[in-house]
Amino acid sequence: MSKKVALITGVTGQDGAYLAEYLIKKGYIVHGLKRRSSLFNTDRIDHLYQDPHDENRNMILHYGDMTDSMNLTRIIGDVQPDEIYNLAAMSHVKVSFDTPEYTANADGIGTLRVLEAVRLLNLTQKTRIYQASTSELYGLVQEIPQKETTPFYPRSPYAVAKLYAYWITVNYREAYGMHASNGILFNHESPLRGETFVTRKVTRAVARIALNLQEKVYMGNLSSKRDWGHAKDYIKAMYLILQQDEPDDYVISTGVTTTIRDFIKMSFSEVGVEVEFRGSDEKEEGYIVSVNDEVFAKTVGEAHLPAFKKRIGNVVVGVDPAYFRPTEVDILIGDNTKARTKLGWEPTYDLKALCQDMVLHDIEVMKREEFLKNGGYRIMNYFE
Ligand code: NAP
Ligand code: G4F
């Protein structure tokens, strides 16, 4: 039997990297869309790279951009994919307030470009499409927990662009009988998460603070709540959605919600450090209460313990209103009943396991940074 062919837009991102690896292991030929960049932007997928001269390649990259219809149409026509995973997006909510027009173009109209290319190329019966929809659609939530039938109320240019993408996917499904589905994914994180999203910002800061490379980290709104899962689990849901006989829309979530403040405390406790918060709003701060020597020595290293213990009582978390958003999404918590019953999907990582995976990874990354500062040479591998 010939191998299935998948096209992943956003293959260089967190989800794209995990999904590409997962599909290759399943025997797919994976084509990925990558943007031209003045610096290498393929760190997350370098372990999957194959020389263009290799015969029988199962990973092929194409230069492209979600804002370029002709480019997308040509690539989809050349690749003739069985499945398209449309993951490319300007995915940072706060940044979307600074770049609203570009976000609408890439995230909203970009989705239309993919759907319309499939239609114009007469691939509607061949190509199945997964659209990376988001729990940000619920915004000012109308129901707790949020499920597939909960009305949307987007609260950022990003979410409004994704609202268009969601509905144009539904419309192409209904109008042209396309196998086009939305995964309404709640926040999912991993050691591959972009460094400016809140979980990764925290786990990197915890690692640097523990290694005495940084005094303190400044955060935004500590009280908002998110339903966080592991990206490794969530890309499996994307795959399952496209294997269903009928296209449909699914909430993918854990059903547990946690404040940013508690995620920070959990992350410090992974290295044996107890942090408490005092004050409120912009004056809120987190300080070190105690250190568990054994846990700290095991996770960070015995050598760093004496210096760290001198910092008990120090403030390690502050608030900078620069990170507040003009409109915030206060609480997200998803009801994943439909995904559990229809897809047979369920998360395997709880928040503690996710947090541990990220903190331990970032300690290794920061130890390399410390090593480099001391004259070492660079070896980067995100998948270690
Ligand atoms: P990510 O790490 O930010 O990756 C985004 C990807 O899109 C990157 O490969 C990026 O390329 C690419 N991209 C951005 N603008 C592009 C453009 N104009 N043309 C072509 N490619 C472009 O995001 P992620 O966390 O993997 O998320 C994947 C998708 O799921 C996104 O659509 C996101 O909005 C959505 N989503 C994410 C979550 C979550 O919690 N992670 C939840 C719900 C939905 P570069 O590498 O060159 O920047
Ligand atoms: O990690 P975040 O930036 O993720 P956000 O805004 O929830 O969006 C992510 O998840 C969505 C799914 O719900 C995706 F669609 C989207 O693409 C992206 O992946 O922020 C989470 C929360 C927010 O309430 C934010 O205000 O953390 C709060 N926060 C507090 N301090 C901070 C910070 N967020 C960031 N990025 N940086 C801070 O310093």
Side-chain angles (χ1 to χ4, degrees):
M1 259 174 60
S2 62
K3 290 185 165 190
K4 271 198 176 177
V5 176
L7 172 65
I8 304 176
T9 70
V11 74
T12 56
Q14 169 189 255
D15 293 1
Y18 282 123
L19 180 66
E21 188 176 67
Y22 183 69
L23 293 178
I24 287 170
K25 280 197 185 133
K26 284 203 168 291
Y28 278 61
I29 295 177
V30 172
H31 292 258
L33 184 79
K34 75 161 179 172
R35 295 195 285 185
R36 193 271 159 181
S37 151
S38 67
L39 290 169
F40 286 124
N41 59 356
T42 53
D43 275 4
R44 293 183 177 109
I45 51 168
D46 280 346
H47 63 300
L48 302 173
Y49 177 80
Q50 290 166 311
D51 190 284
H53 305 98
D54 282 0
E55 279 174 28
N56 304 321
R57 276 193 299 161
N58 53 17
M59 173 78 176
I60 298 146
L61 296 178
H62 306 259
Y63 281 112
D65 200 290
M66 295 303 289
T67 59
D68 185 338
S69 321
M70 283 187 278
N71 159 266
L72 289 171
T73 308
R74 179 180 53 74
I75 292 169
I76 294 170
D78 287 351
V79 169
Q80 300 275 308
D82 298 299
E83 297 170 7
I84 296 179
Y85 295 86
N86 184 34
L87 310 186
M90 201 309 287
S91 70
H92 202 284
V93 173
K94 174 76 163 58
V95 174
S96 78
F97 288 97
D98 299 325
T99 60
E101 184 182 342
Y102 170 73
T103 304
N105 192 0
D107 300 13
I109 308 297
T111 303
L112 171 67
R113 293 185 180 103
V114 169
L115 291 160
E116 186 63 358
V118 168
R119 188 175 80 88
L120 293 176
L121 291 161
N122 294 319
L123 291 171
T124 51
Q125 297 311 305
K126 173 181 169 69
T127 305
R128 296 181 172 196
I129 301 175
Y130 171 86
Q131 169 56 22
S133 285
T134 166
S135 49
E136 278 290 303
L137 295 171
Y138 297 117
L140 188 63
V141 298
Q142 305 293 296
E143 191 176 23
I144 293 177
Q146 296 85 50
K147 50 183 184 280
E148 290 79 3
T149 51
T150 304
F152 297 139
Y153 193 139
R155 293 270 279 175
S156 63
Y158 166 78
V160 175
K162 286 282 190 176
L163 184 76
Y164 177 83
Y166 173 93
W167 282 116
I168 200 69
T169 301
V170 172
N171 181 245
Y172 270 57
R173 175 167 83 214
E174 293 175 354
Y176 307 117
M178 287 166 66
H179 195 297
S181 302
N182 287 287
I184 308 171
L185 271 53
F186 283 61
N187 299 50
H188 45 282
E189 320 290 314
S190 74
L192 297 191
R193 185 58 144 152
E195 289 86 347
T196 61
F197 295 96
V198 76
T199 53
R200 191 78 201 287
K201 179 170 169 180
V202 168
T203 59
R204 278 168 56 89
V206 166
R208 289 177 59 83
I209 290 167
L211 288 163
N212 276 315
L213 294 167
Q214 184 175 327
E215 290 261 314
K216 176 175 177 181
V217 62
Y218 287 92
M219 306 296 304
N221 178 5
L222 298 173
S223 300
S224 60
K225 292 178 152 187
R226 289 293 180 272
D227 177 335
W228 284 296
H230 199 301
K232 276 188 186 171
D233 283 335
Y234 285 43
I235 56 101
K236 291 180 189 161
M238 297 177 187
Y239 167 76
L240 286 171
I241 288 171
L242 288 201
Q243 309 319 306
Q244 303 308 300
D245 289 340
E246 298 300 327
D248 205 346
D249 308 316
Y250 297 88
V251 160
I252 304 298
S253 66
T254 68
V256 176
T257 194
T258 308
T259 61
I260 311 304
R261 190 180 295 105
D262 284 342
F263 183 82
I264 295 172
K265 288 167 81 165
M266 280 178 81
S267 301
F268 274 107
S269 82
E270 283 303 325
V271 293
V273 176
E274 190 190 351
V275 165
E276 282 299 339
F277 284 84
R278 64 188 170 211
S280 60
D281 303 322
E282 292 165 31
K283 298 261 187 297
E284 187 164 354
E285 55 188 22
Y287 61 99
I288 303 172
V289 175
S290 65
V291 185
N292 178 322
D293 294 4
E294 206 180 313
V295 178
F296 190 94
K298 198 169 149 207
T299 51
V300 185
E302 188 112 41
H304 296 278
L305 188 57
F308 192 83
K309 287 187 90 163
K310 290 192 189 137
R311 294 166 68 189
I312 291 176
N314 285 9
V315 171
V316 282
V317 184
V319 170
D320 181 346
Y323 297 113
F324 292 167
R325 291 149 189 212
T327 39
E328 177 61 282
V329 173
D330 294 324
I331 176 168
L332 291 174
I333 176 168
D335 176 347
N336 61 21
T337 308
K338 184 174 173 184
R340 281 180 188 268
T341 51
K342 289 202 162 178
L343 302 176
W345 176 88
E346 60 180 13
T348 65
Y349 280 80
D350 64 10
L351 187 58
K352 179 163 171 41
L354 168 65
C355 186
Q356 184 178 60
D357 192 23
M358 295 178 71
V359 170
L360 295 183
H361 169 87
D362 280 334
I363 288 170
E364 289 314 307
V365 170
M366 296 311 163
K367 278 186 175 167
R368 281 201 293 265
E369 194 173 294
E370 200 185 21
F371 170 71
L372 289 175
K373 259 171 74 183
N374 296 328
Y377 58 90
R378 179 172 292 270
I379 311 166
M380 289 294 274
N381 182 354
Y382 279 98
F383 279 82
E384 277 168 0

